[in-house]
């Protein structure tokens, strides 16, 4: 990765698991990171209201991570919450993309956060960034990802280098999917989702944060970027490896009918998967560092 020439970042959704890691990564690399917040007046923050009233302050990079957590099981999967999950991603992406496009001094790069749910689920297919899915035929997650990526269009149409980060399942200590898996597996009562044969396109938290810096600095990168480990495995294999690290079995599968109780669309994200490959990253000499 080249020495950073970009120094100022506007980061929306920067208080979550991934956002904190990205802020830390970029701060260490010498960036000044300003968080977009609902509240005004906090240090190194700017409110959504200020952005909409005063426009985007001069910056080099805009990153959007904002979005209500889809797999927050404390939230019932109602039509209202489903719409909140959509709007909180699509509207914030669209707002920031428009503000970037309207800026007198435009940012160098705009990074929207989509997901590997863009691709249809399959046990046999392997997907790179070249694959074009159907927003209407490939499931709820694919439809949402299309809306997010389409919402970034004002930035690209204004000549801003635009990246759509298609994020895999983030694994790391202190949050994310690992936090939900940890307790049952350590107690020896965890296991795969359903039959466990579905692909599990994961990425380590540190590598995910590093990819945002890579996308900010690598001028050849634009369009979709698959944020996944090069070591894609099945859900069953992944669960077994984690359990074995604690000398525990992973034999208690979570049945599909039970998962469907959290909402069909949410359950599909756990029971079905995609074998996703980061072709764009490899072509631009950015590999997935972790094998563990």
């Amino acid at each position: 990765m080249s020495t950073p020439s970009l120094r100022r970042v506007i980061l929306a959704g920067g208080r979550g698991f991934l956002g904190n890691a990205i802020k830390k990564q970029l701060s260490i690399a010498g960036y000044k990171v300003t968080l977009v917040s609902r509240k005004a007046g906090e240090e190194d923050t700017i409110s959504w209201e200020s952005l909409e009233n005063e426009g985007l302050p001069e910056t080099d990079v805009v990153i959007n991570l904002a979005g209500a957590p889809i797999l927050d099981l404390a939230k019932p999967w109602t039509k209202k919450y489903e719409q909140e999950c959509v709007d909180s991603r699509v509207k914030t992406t669209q707002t920031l993309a428009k503000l970037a496009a309207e800026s007198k001094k435009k940012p160098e790069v705009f990074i929207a956060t989509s997901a590997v749910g863009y691709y249809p689920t399959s046990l046999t297919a392997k997907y790179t960034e070249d694959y074009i899915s159907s927003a209407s035929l490939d499931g709820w997650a694919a439809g949402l990802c299309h809306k997010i990526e389409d919402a970034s269009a004002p930035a690209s149409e204004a000549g801003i280098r635009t990246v759509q980060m298609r994020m895999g399942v983030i694994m790391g200590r202190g949050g994310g999917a690992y936090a939900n898996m940890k307790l049952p597996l350590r107690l020896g009562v965890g296991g795969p989702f359903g039959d466990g044969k579905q692909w599990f396109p994961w990425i380590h938290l540190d590598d995910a944060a590093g990819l945002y810096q890579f996308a900010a600095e690598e001028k050849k990168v634009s369009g979709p970027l698959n944020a996944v480990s090069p070591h894609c495995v099945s859900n069953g294999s992944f669960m077994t490896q984690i359990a074995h690290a604690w000398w525990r079995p992973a034999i208690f599968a979570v049945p599909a009918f039970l998962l469907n109780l959290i909402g069909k669309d949410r359950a599909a994200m756990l029971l079905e998967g995609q074998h996703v490959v980061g072709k764009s990253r490899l072509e631009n000499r950015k590999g997935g560092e972790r094998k563990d």
Side-chain angles (χ1 to χ4, degrees):
M1 196 180 300
S2 60
T3 302
S5 58
L6 309 175
R7 292 294 179 181
R8 296 158 299 179
V9 180
I10 298 292
L11 175 60
R15 298 188 187 279
F17 184 52
L18 176 58
N20 283 326
I22 293 173
K23 182 182 179 183
K24 180 180 178 182
Q25 169 96 16
L26 294 179
S27 296
I28 291 172
Y31 290 82
K32 175 176 171 47
V33 181
T34 300
L35 301 181
V36 182
S37 173
R38 294 178 182 176
K39 298 179 180 179
E42 298 179 9
E43 186 179 0
D44 295 328
T45 64
I46 187 170
S47 70
W48 284 102
E49 183 179 3
S50 294
L51 285 176
E52 292 176 358
N53 292 337
E54 302 170 19
L56 195 71
E58 194 169 303
T59 188
D60 301 295
V61 184
V62 178
I63 299 172
N64 189 32
L65 305 171
I70 294 172
L71 291 177
D72 181 355
L73 302 187
K75 298 281 190 180
W77 193 242
T78 62
K79 285 293 183 182
K80 181 179 178 181
Y81 189 67
E82 178 184 342
Q83 194 60 47
E84 181 182 342
C85 289
V86 174
D87 290 345
S88 59
R89 289 166 171 79
V90 177
K91 290 184 177 180
T92 54
T93 301
Q94 188 173 55
T95 295
L96 290 170
K98 286 182 175 180
L99 290 171
E102 294 166 358
S103 298
K104 290 182 179 179
K105 188 178 185 303
K106 295 176 174 52
E108 295 279 341
V109 57
F110 182 92
I111 306 175
T113 303
S114 181
V116 294
Y118 173 91
Y119 304 104
T121 59
S122 174
L123 292 176
T124 57
K126 186 182 292 188
Y127 301 110
T128 70
E129 291 89 345
D130 296 331
Y131 186 89
I132 300 174
S133 67
S134 168
S136 59
L137 299 178
D138 288 330
W140 181 85
L144 172 57
C145 291
H146 273 270
K147 290 176 182 176
I148 294 168
E149 297 184 17
D150 290 347
S152 69
S156 58
E157 289 168 358
I160 300 168
R161 182 167 63 85
T162 301
V163 178
Q164 294 90 23
M165 193 73 73
R166 292 177 180 164
M167 186 57 58
V169 181
I170 301 171
M171 301 296 295
R173 296 183 186 277
Y178 178 79
N180 294 324
M181 298 174 180
K182 179 179 177 180
L183 181 60
L185 286 172
R186 292 196 72 170
L187 292 175
V189 294
F193 300 133
D195 62 16
K197 295 178 181 179
Q198 69 275 26
W199 289 104
F200 191 73
W202 68 284
I203 185 169
H204 191 276
L205 176 65
D206 294 342
D207 293 337
L211 270 180
Y212 280 87
Q213 183 182 349
F214 168 70
E217 296 174 5
E218 183 52 69
K219 298 184 185 301
K220 293 185 292 183
V221 172
S222 64
L225 182 64
N226 289 338
V228 292
S229 166
H231 311 285
C232 193
V233 296
S234 70
N235 175 263
S237 176
F238 193 91
M239 292 296 203
T240 297
Q241 290 179 47
I242 294 179
H244 284 183
W246 291 315
W247 301 91
R248 299 288 191 275
I251 57 176
F252 295 96
V254 183
F257 78 87
L258 192 59
L259 285 171
N260 278 320
L261 296 177
I262 68 173
K264 185 178 179 181
D265 293 323
R266 285 203 285 199
M269 298 172 71
L270 301 174
L271 293 169
E272 303 171 12
Q274 310 91 340
H275 189 170
V276 180
V277 179
K279 177 184 175 184
S280 178
R281 179 175 63 180
L282 296 174
E283 288 177 343
N284 289 284
R285 298 183 177 85
K286 172 65 178 177
E289 287 79 3
R290 287 180 174 264
K291 297 180 175 62
D292 55 336

